[in-house]
Short mmCIF file of all heavy atoms in Angstrom, two decimals:
data_model
loop_
_atom_site.label_atom_id
_atom_site.label_comp_id
_atom_site.label_asym_id
_atom_site.label_seq_id
_atom_site.Cartn_x
_atom_site.Cartn_y
_atom_site.Cartn_z
N TYR A 366 -46.75 77.20 1.13
CA TYR A 366 -45.55 77.93 1.52
C TYR A 366 -44.61 78.01 0.31
O TYR A 366 -44.55 77.09 -0.51
CB TYR A 366 -44.81 77.22 2.66
CG TYR A 366 -45.62 77.10 3.93
CD1 TYR A 366 -46.47 76.03 4.14
CD2 TYR A 366 -45.53 78.07 4.92
CE1 TYR A 366 -47.21 75.92 5.30
CE2 TYR A 366 -46.27 77.96 6.09
CZ TYR A 366 -47.11 76.89 6.26
OH TYR A 366 -47.85 76.78 7.41
N PHE A 368 -40.46 79.06 -0.71
CA PHE A 368 -39.13 79.19 -0.12
C PHE A 368 -38.12 79.59 -1.19
O PHE A 368 -38.27 79.27 -2.37
CB PHE A 368 -38.65 77.83 0.45
CG PHE A 368 -39.55 77.21 1.46
CD1 PHE A 368 -40.69 76.53 1.06
CD2 PHE A 368 -39.24 77.25 2.81
CE1 PHE A 368 -41.52 75.91 1.99
CE2 PHE A 368 -40.05 76.63 3.74
CZ PHE A 368 -41.20 75.98 3.33
N TYR A 370 -34.03 78.88 -1.43
CA TYR A 370 -32.87 78.22 -0.82
C TYR A 370 -31.61 78.62 -1.60
O TYR A 370 -31.64 78.82 -2.82
CB TYR A 370 -33.00 76.70 -0.85
CG TYR A 370 -33.87 76.15 0.26
CD1 TYR A 370 -35.22 75.98 0.08
CD2 TYR A 370 -33.30 75.81 1.48
CE1 TYR A 370 -36.02 75.47 1.10
CE2 TYR A 370 -34.09 75.29 2.51
CZ TYR A 370 -35.44 75.14 2.31
OH TYR A 370 -36.22 74.64 3.33
N GLN A 372 -27.67 77.36 -2.41
CA GLN A 372 -26.78 76.21 -2.39
C GLN A 372 -25.41 76.65 -2.91
O GLN A 372 -25.17 76.67 -4.11
CB GLN A 372 -27.32 75.06 -3.22
CG GLN A 372 -26.52 73.77 -3.09
CD GLN A 372 -27.11 72.64 -3.93
OE1 GLN A 372 -27.56 72.85 -5.05
NE2 GLN A 372 -27.08 71.42 -3.39
N SER A 375 -20.62 72.97 -3.58
CA SER A 375 -20.18 71.87 -2.71
C SER A 375 -20.52 72.09 -1.24
O SER A 375 -19.83 71.59 -0.35
CB SER A 375 -18.67 71.64 -2.87
OG SER A 375 -18.37 71.32 -4.20
N ARG A 376 -21.56 72.84 -1.00
CA ARG A 376 -21.91 73.10 0.39
C ARG A 376 -23.40 72.85 0.62
O ARG A 376 -24.17 72.61 -0.29
CB ARG A 376 -21.53 74.53 0.78
CG ARG A 376 -20.03 74.76 0.83
CD ARG A 376 -19.72 76.17 1.29
NE ARG A 376 -20.17 76.39 2.66
CZ ARG A 376 -20.13 77.58 3.26
NH1 ARG A 376 -19.65 78.62 2.60
NH2 ARG A 376 -20.55 77.73 4.49
N GLN A 377 -23.76 72.91 1.85
CA GLN A 377 -25.11 72.57 2.29
C GLN A 377 -26.14 73.58 1.80
O GLN A 377 -25.86 74.78 1.73
CB GLN A 377 -25.11 72.56 3.82
CG GLN A 377 -26.10 71.67 4.47
CD GLN A 377 -25.75 71.48 5.95
OE1 GLN A 377 -24.81 72.09 6.48
NE2 GLN A 377 -26.49 70.64 6.63
N MET A 378 -27.31 73.10 1.45
CA MET A 378 -28.40 73.98 1.06
C MET A 378 -28.96 74.65 2.32
O MET A 378 -29.25 74.00 3.31
CB MET A 378 -29.50 73.18 0.38
CG MET A 378 -30.65 74.02 -0.08
SD MET A 378 -31.51 73.60 -1.56
CE MET A 378 -30.71 72.33 -2.35
N ILE A 379 -29.12 75.97 2.24
CA ILE A 379 -29.60 76.70 3.39
C ILE A 379 -30.79 77.57 3.01
O ILE A 379 -30.90 78.04 1.88
CB ILE A 379 -28.49 77.58 4.02
CG1 ILE A 379 -27.92 78.56 3.00
CG2 ILE A 379 -27.38 76.71 4.59
CD1 ILE A 379 -26.91 79.52 3.58
N LEU A 380 -31.66 77.78 3.97
CA LEU A 380 -32.85 78.58 3.75
C LEU A 380 -32.49 80.06 3.69
O LEU A 380 -31.81 80.57 4.56
CB LEU A 380 -33.86 78.33 4.87
CG LEU A 380 -35.14 79.17 4.82
CD1 LEU A 380 -35.99 78.78 3.62
CD2 LEU A 380 -35.93 79.01 6.11
N ARG A 383 -38.64 82.49 3.65
CA ARG A 383 -39.85 81.69 3.54
C ARG A 383 -41.07 82.61 3.55
O ARG A 383 -41.07 83.61 4.29
CB ARG A 383 -39.93 80.72 4.73
CG ARG A 383 -41.21 79.90 4.82
CD ARG A 383 -41.14 78.96 6.01
NE ARG A 383 -40.91 79.67 7.24
CZ ARG A 383 -40.31 79.14 8.31
NH1 ARG A 383 -39.88 77.89 8.27
NH2 ARG A 383 -40.12 79.85 9.39
N GLU A 385 -45.43 82.55 3.67
CA GLU A 385 -46.68 81.79 3.80
C GLU A 385 -47.73 82.46 2.92
O GLU A 385 -47.89 83.69 2.98
CB GLU A 385 -47.12 81.77 5.26
CG GLU A 385 -46.12 81.04 6.14
CD GLU A 385 -46.32 81.31 7.61
OE1 GLU A 385 -47.18 80.66 8.22
OE2 GLU A 385 -45.62 82.20 8.15
N MET A 422 -26.05 78.70 -6.23
CA MET A 422 -27.31 78.34 -6.90
C MET A 422 -28.44 78.72 -5.97
O MET A 422 -28.38 78.48 -4.76
CB MET A 422 -27.34 76.84 -7.16
CG MET A 422 -26.54 76.38 -8.35
SD MET A 422 -27.26 76.89 -9.93
CE MET A 422 -28.73 75.87 -9.97
N PHE A 424 -32.51 78.21 -5.38
CA PHE A 424 -33.66 77.40 -5.74
C PHE A 424 -34.92 77.96 -5.11
O PHE A 424 -34.97 78.27 -3.92
CB PHE A 424 -33.47 75.95 -5.26
CG PHE A 424 -32.42 75.18 -6.00
CD1 PHE A 424 -31.12 75.12 -5.52
CD2 PHE A 424 -32.72 74.52 -7.18
CE1 PHE A 424 -30.14 74.40 -6.19
CE2 PHE A 424 -31.74 73.80 -7.87
CZ PHE A 424 -30.45 73.75 -7.38
N LEU A 428 -44.28 74.31 -1.19
CA LEU A 428 -44.78 73.27 -0.31
C LEU A 428 -46.28 73.48 -0.13
O LEU A 428 -46.69 74.53 0.38
CB LEU A 428 -44.09 73.34 1.05
CG LEU A 428 -44.62 72.38 2.11
CD1 LEU A 428 -44.21 70.94 1.77
CD2 LEU A 428 -44.10 72.76 3.50
N GLY A 430 -49.90 73.33 1.63
CA GLY A 430 -50.21 73.42 3.04
C GLY A 430 -50.42 72.08 3.70
O GLY A 430 -50.11 71.89 4.87
N GLY A 432 -49.05 69.34 2.51
CA GLY A 432 -48.00 68.48 1.95
C GLY A 432 -46.87 68.18 2.89
O GLY A 432 -46.90 68.53 4.07
N TYR A 433 -45.88 67.54 2.32
CA TYR A 433 -44.77 67.05 3.13
C TYR A 433 -43.43 67.41 2.51
O TYR A 433 -42.51 67.78 3.20
CB TYR A 433 -44.88 65.53 3.27
CG TYR A 433 -45.13 64.85 1.93
CD1 TYR A 433 -44.08 64.52 1.09
CD2 TYR A 433 -46.42 64.61 1.48
CE1 TYR A 433 -44.31 63.95 -0.16
CE2 TYR A 433 -46.65 64.03 0.24
CZ TYR A 433 -45.59 63.70 -0.57
OH TYR A 433 -45.81 63.14 -1.79
N ALA A 434 -43.30 67.27 1.22
CA ALA A 434 -41.99 67.43 0.58
C ALA A 434 -41.99 68.65 -0.33
O ALA A 434 -43.00 69.01 -0.95
CB ALA A 434 -41.64 66.19 -0.22
N LEU A 435 -40.84 69.29 -0.39
CA LEU A 435 -40.68 70.47 -1.21
C LEU A 435 -40.62 70.11 -2.69
O LEU A 435 -40.00 69.11 -3.07
CB LEU A 435 -39.39 71.20 -0.82
CG LEU A 435 -39.33 71.75 0.60
CD1 LEU A 435 -37.90 72.15 0.96
CD2 LEU A 435 -40.27 72.91 0.75
N ASN A 436 -41.22 70.96 -3.53
CA ASN A 436 -41.07 70.88 -4.99
C ASN A 436 -40.16 72.02 -5.41
O ASN A 436 -40.45 73.18 -5.13
CB ASN A 436 -42.42 71.04 -5.68
CG ASN A 436 -43.32 69.87 -5.41
OD1 ASN A 436 -43.01 68.75 -5.74
ND2 ASN A 436 -44.46 70.14 -4.79
N PHE A 437 -39.08 71.69 -6.10
CA PHE A 437 -38.07 72.67 -6.45
C PHE A 437 -38.12 73.08 -7.91
O PHE A 437 -38.49 72.29 -8.78
CB PHE A 437 -36.67 72.09 -6.18
CG PHE A 437 -36.31 71.99 -4.73
CD1 PHE A 437 -36.63 70.85 -4.00
CD2 PHE A 437 -35.66 73.02 -4.09
CE1 PHE A 437 -36.30 70.74 -2.67
CE2 PHE A 437 -35.31 72.92 -2.75
CZ PHE A 437 -35.64 71.79 -2.04
N GLY A 438 -37.72 74.32 -8.17
CA GLY A 438 -37.43 74.75 -9.53
C GLY A 438 -36.04 74.28 -9.93
O GLY A 438 -35.32 73.66 -9.15
N LYS A 439 -35.65 74.60 -11.17
CA LYS A 439 -34.37 74.13 -11.70
C LYS A 439 -33.19 74.94 -11.20
O LYS A 439 -32.04 74.56 -11.41
CB LYS A 439 -34.38 74.12 -13.23
CG LYS A 439 -35.31 73.08 -13.80
CD LYS A 439 -35.14 72.95 -15.30
CE LYS A 439 -36.00 71.80 -15.82
NZ LYS A 439 -35.79 71.55 -17.26
N GLY A 440 -33.47 76.04 -10.55
CA GLY A 440 -32.40 76.82 -9.97
C GLY A 440 -31.88 77.92 -10.88
O GLY A 440 -32.00 77.86 -12.10
N ASP B 1411 -28.07 69.05 13.60
CA ASP B 1411 -27.69 69.07 12.19
C ASP B 1411 -28.06 67.73 11.55
O ASP B 1411 -28.58 66.83 12.21
CB ASP B 1411 -26.19 69.32 12.04
CG ASP B 1411 -25.85 70.04 10.73
OD1 ASP B 1411 -26.69 70.00 9.80
OD2 ASP B 1411 -24.75 70.62 10.65
N ARG B 1417 -19.13 61.88 1.55
CA ARG B 1417 -19.36 63.07 0.74
C ARG B 1417 -19.17 62.76 -0.73
O ARG B 1417 -19.90 63.27 -1.58
CB ARG B 1417 -18.40 64.20 1.15
CG ARG B 1417 -18.74 64.91 2.44
CD ARG B 1417 -20.06 65.68 2.35
NE ARG B 1417 -20.15 66.56 1.17
CZ ARG B 1417 -19.67 67.78 1.12
NH1 ARG B 1417 -19.03 68.29 2.15
NH2 ARG B 1417 -19.80 68.51 0.02
N TYR B 1418 -18.17 61.96 -1.02
CA TYR B 1418 -17.89 61.56 -2.39
C TYR B 1418 -17.66 60.05 -2.44
O TYR B 1418 -17.06 59.49 -1.53
CB TYR B 1418 -16.64 62.27 -2.93
CG TYR B 1418 -16.72 63.77 -2.89
CD1 TYR B 1418 -16.23 64.48 -1.81
CD2 TYR B 1418 -17.32 64.48 -3.94
CE1 TYR B 1418 -16.33 65.86 -1.75
CE2 TYR B 1418 -17.40 65.87 -3.90
CZ TYR B 1418 -16.92 66.55 -2.80
OH TYR B 1418 -17.01 67.91 -2.75
N TYR B 1441 -36.25 62.85 4.11
CA TYR B 1441 -36.40 62.81 2.66
C TYR B 1441 -35.06 62.48 2.00
O TYR B 1441 -34.01 62.83 2.53
CB TYR B 1441 -36.88 64.18 2.13
CG TYR B 1441 -38.00 64.80 2.91
CD1 TYR B 1441 -37.74 65.56 4.04
CD2 TYR B 1441 -39.31 64.65 2.51
CE1 TYR B 1441 -38.77 66.13 4.78
CE2 TYR B 1441 -40.35 65.22 3.23
CZ TYR B 1441 -40.07 65.95 4.37
OH TYR B 1441 -41.10 66.52 5.08
N TYR B 1443 -33.47 63.31 -1.82
CA TYR B 1443 -33.61 63.96 -3.11
C TYR B 1443 -32.42 63.56 -3.99
O TYR B 1443 -31.30 63.39 -3.51
CB TYR B 1443 -33.61 65.49 -2.96
CG TYR B 1443 -34.88 66.07 -2.42
CD1 TYR B 1443 -35.07 66.21 -1.04
CD2 TYR B 1443 -35.89 66.50 -3.26
CE1 TYR B 1443 -36.23 66.77 -0.54
CE2 TYR B 1443 -37.06 67.06 -2.77
CZ TYR B 1443 -37.22 67.19 -1.41
OH TYR B 1443 -38.37 67.75 -0.91
N GLN B 1445 -30.22 64.95 -7.24
CA GLN B 1445 -29.93 66.21 -7.93
C GLN B 1445 -28.82 66.01 -8.93
O GLN B 1445 -27.67 65.76 -8.55
CB GLN B 1445 -29.53 67.30 -6.93
CG GLN B 1445 -29.27 68.65 -7.57
CD GLN B 1445 -28.76 69.68 -6.60
OE1 GLN B 1445 -28.17 69.35 -5.58
NE2 GLN B 1445 -29.00 70.95 -6.90
N GLY B 1448 -26.66 71.10 -12.12
CA GLY B 1448 -27.41 72.18 -12.74
C GLY B 1448 -28.89 71.93 -12.86
O GLY B 1448 -29.58 72.64 -13.59
N MET B 1449 -29.38 70.96 -12.14
CA MET B 1449 -30.80 70.61 -12.25
C MET B 1449 -31.50 70.74 -10.91
O MET B 1449 -30.87 70.90 -9.86
CB MET B 1449 -30.94 69.18 -12.77
CG MET B 1449 -30.31 68.94 -14.12
SD MET B 1449 -31.19 69.84 -15.43
CE MET B 1449 -32.69 68.89 -15.53
N GLU B 1450 -32.83 70.65 -10.98
CA GLU B 1450 -33.59 70.72 -9.73
C GLU B 1450 -33.48 69.45 -8.92
O GLU B 1450 -32.98 68.44 -9.41
CB GLU B 1450 -35.07 71.01 -10.03
CG GLU B 1450 -35.83 69.86 -10.69
CD GLU B 1450 -35.90 70.00 -12.18
OE1 GLU B 1450 -34.83 70.22 -12.80
OE2 GLU B 1450 -37.01 69.87 -12.73
N LEU B 1451 -33.93 69.51 -7.71
CA LEU B 1451 -33.94 68.34 -6.85
C LEU B 1451 -35.23 67.56 -7.10
O LEU B 1451 -36.31 68.13 -7.18
CB LEU B 1451 -33.89 68.76 -5.39
CG LEU B 1451 -32.56 69.26 -4.84
CD1 LEU B 1451 -32.22 70.65 -5.35
CD2 LEU B 1451 -32.60 69.26 -3.32
N LEU B 1453 -37.57 64.42 -5.59
CA LEU B 1453 -37.81 63.57 -4.43
C LEU B 1453 -37.85 62.11 -4.85
O LEU B 1453 -38.61 61.74 -5.76
CB LEU B 1453 -39.14 63.96 -3.78
CG LEU B 1453 -39.54 63.18 -2.54
CD1 LEU B 1453 -38.63 63.56 -1.37
CD2 LEU B 1453 -41.00 63.44 -2.19
N TYR B 1456 -39.34 59.30 0.92
CA TYR B 1456 -39.59 60.06 2.13
C TYR B 1456 -40.11 59.15 3.22
O TYR B 1456 -40.55 58.02 2.96
CB TYR B 1456 -40.52 61.23 1.88
CG TYR B 1456 -41.92 60.87 1.47
CD1 TYR B 1456 -42.96 60.80 2.38
CD2 TYR B 1456 -42.21 60.64 0.11
CE1 TYR B 1456 -44.24 60.49 1.98
CE2 TYR B 1456 -43.50 60.33 -0.29
CZ TYR B 1456 -44.50 60.27 0.64
OH TYR B 1456 -45.78 59.96 0.25
N TYR B 1458 -42.34 59.33 7.08
CA TYR B 1458 -43.07 60.11 8.09
C TYR B 1458 -42.59 59.80 9.49
O TYR B 1458 -42.90 60.55 10.43
CB TYR B 1458 -44.56 59.81 8.02
CG TYR B 1458 -45.28 60.46 6.87
CD1 TYR B 1458 -46.06 59.73 6.00
CD2 TYR B 1458 -45.19 61.84 6.68
CE1 TYR B 1458 -46.74 60.34 4.97
CE2 TYR B 1458 -45.85 62.46 5.64
CZ TYR B 1458 -46.63 61.71 4.79
OH TYR B 1458 -47.28 62.31 3.76
N ASP B 1467 -41.63 61.27 -6.12
CA ASP B 1467 -42.14 61.54 -7.47
C ASP B 1467 -41.27 60.94 -8.55
O ASP B 1467 -41.76 60.56 -9.62
CB ASP B 1467 -42.25 63.06 -7.67
CG ASP B 1467 -43.14 63.70 -6.64
OD1 ASP B 1467 -44.12 63.07 -6.24
OD2 ASP B 1467 -42.83 64.82 -6.22
N GLN B 1496 -25.96 63.41 -7.50
CA GLN B 1496 -25.81 63.83 -6.11
C GLN B 1496 -27.09 63.47 -5.37
O GLN B 1496 -28.20 63.68 -5.88
CB GLN B 1496 -25.55 65.33 -5.99
CG GLN B 1496 -25.55 65.81 -4.53
CD GLN B 1496 -24.80 67.10 -4.30
OE1 GLN B 1496 -23.66 67.11 -3.86
NE2 GLN B 1496 -25.47 68.20 -4.60
N LEU B 1498 -29.18 64.08 -1.88
CA LEU B 1498 -29.31 64.97 -0.73
C LEU B 1498 -30.34 64.41 0.24
O LEU B 1498 -31.45 64.02 -0.17
CB LEU B 1498 -29.76 66.36 -1.17
CG LEU B 1498 -28.74 67.26 -1.84
CD1 LEU B 1498 -29.40 68.51 -2.38
CD2 LEU B 1498 -27.64 67.63 -0.89
N PHE B 1504 -42.65 70.96 11.52
CA PHE B 1504 -43.58 72.07 11.34
C PHE B 1504 -43.59 72.86 12.63
O PHE B 1504 -43.97 72.37 13.67
CB PHE B 1504 -44.98 71.57 11.04
CG PHE B 1504 -45.92 72.69 10.68
CD1 PHE B 1504 -45.93 73.23 9.42
CD2 PHE B 1504 -46.78 73.21 11.64
CE1 PHE B 1504 -46.79 74.27 9.09
CE2 PHE B 1504 -47.64 74.24 11.33
CZ PHE B 1504 -47.65 74.78 10.05
N GLU B 1505 -43.15 74.09 12.55
CA GLU B 1505 -42.99 74.89 13.77
C GLU B 1505 -44.29 75.53 14.22
O GLU B 1505 -44.32 76.16 15.25
CB GLU B 1505 -41.95 75.97 13.52
CG GLU B 1505 -40.55 75.43 13.30
CD GLU B 1505 -39.58 76.57 13.12
OE1 GLU B 1505 -39.39 77.00 11.98
OE2 GLU B 1505 -39.01 77.03 14.12
N GLY B 1509 -43.56 79.91 12.86
CA GLY B 1509 -43.05 80.29 11.55
C GLY B 1509 -43.24 79.29 10.44
O GLY B 1509 -42.81 79.53 9.33
N GLY B 1510 -43.86 78.18 10.71
CA GLY B 1510 -44.11 77.26 9.60
C GLY B 1510 -43.02 76.22 9.46
O GLY B 1510 -42.11 76.13 10.28
N PRO B 1511 -43.11 75.44 8.38
CA PRO B 1511 -42.22 74.30 8.21
C PRO B 1511 -40.76 74.71 8.03
O PRO B 1511 -40.46 75.72 7.41
CB PRO B 1511 -42.75 73.62 6.96
CG PRO B 1511 -43.54 74.66 6.26
CD PRO B 1511 -44.08 75.58 7.29
N THR B 1512 -39.90 73.90 8.58
CA THR B 1512 -38.45 74.11 8.48
C THR B 1512 -37.80 72.84 7.98
O THR B 1512 -38.06 71.76 8.51
CB THR B 1512 -37.86 74.49 9.85
OG1 THR B 1512 -38.44 75.71 10.29
CG2 THR B 1512 -36.35 74.66 9.73
N TYR B 1513 -36.98 72.99 6.96
CA TYR B 1513 -36.27 71.86 6.39
C TYR B 1513 -34.77 72.06 6.61
O TYR B 1513 -34.25 73.16 6.44
CB TYR B 1513 -36.54 71.76 4.89
CG TYR B 1513 -37.94 71.34 4.57
CD1 TYR B 1513 -38.99 72.25 4.66
CD2 TYR B 1513 -38.24 70.04 4.21
CE1 TYR B 1513 -40.28 71.87 4.39
CE2 TYR B 1513 -39.53 69.65 3.94
CZ TYR B 1513 -40.55 70.56 4.03
OH TYR B 1513 -41.83 70.17 3.78
N PHE B 1515 -31.04 70.41 5.39
CA PHE B 1515 -30.44 69.56 4.38
C PHE B 1515 -29.05 69.13 4.80
O PHE B 1515 -28.31 69.89 5.46
CB PHE B 1515 -30.35 70.31 3.05
CG PHE B 1515 -31.65 70.46 2.35
CD1 PHE B 1515 -32.51 71.49 2.67
CD2 PHE B 1515 -32.03 69.55 1.36
CE1 PHE B 1515 -33.73 71.62 2.03
CE2 PHE B 1515 -33.24 69.68 0.71
CZ PHE B 1515 -34.10 70.71 1.05
N GLY B 1516 -28.69 67.92 4.39
CA GLY B 1516 -27.31 67.48 4.54
C GLY B 1516 -26.45 68.06 3.43
O GLY B 1516 -26.95 68.74 2.53
#
Side-chain angles (χ1 to χ4, degrees):
Chain A
Y366 298 88
F368 304 79
Y370 279 90
Q372 188 180 39
S375 301
R376 292 183 64 187
Q377 208 165 4
M378 181 146 352
I379 57 175
L380 177 67
R383 175 179 56 207
E385 296 165 83
M422 281 290 291
F424 290 94
L428 175 71
Y433 48 86
L435 296 168
N436 293 300
F437 287 88
K439 292 189 175 185
Chain B
D1411 209 339
R1417 284 295 310 276
Y1418 303 93
Y1441 315 85
Y1443 285 89
Q1445 182 185 25
M1449 301 293 288
E1450 70 264 50
L1451 285 73
L1453 181 70
Y1456 64 97
Y1458 283 127
D1467 302 325
Q1496 173 158 261
L1498 285 172
F1504 187 80
E1505 294 182 271
T1512 298
Y1513 291 77
F1515 286 84

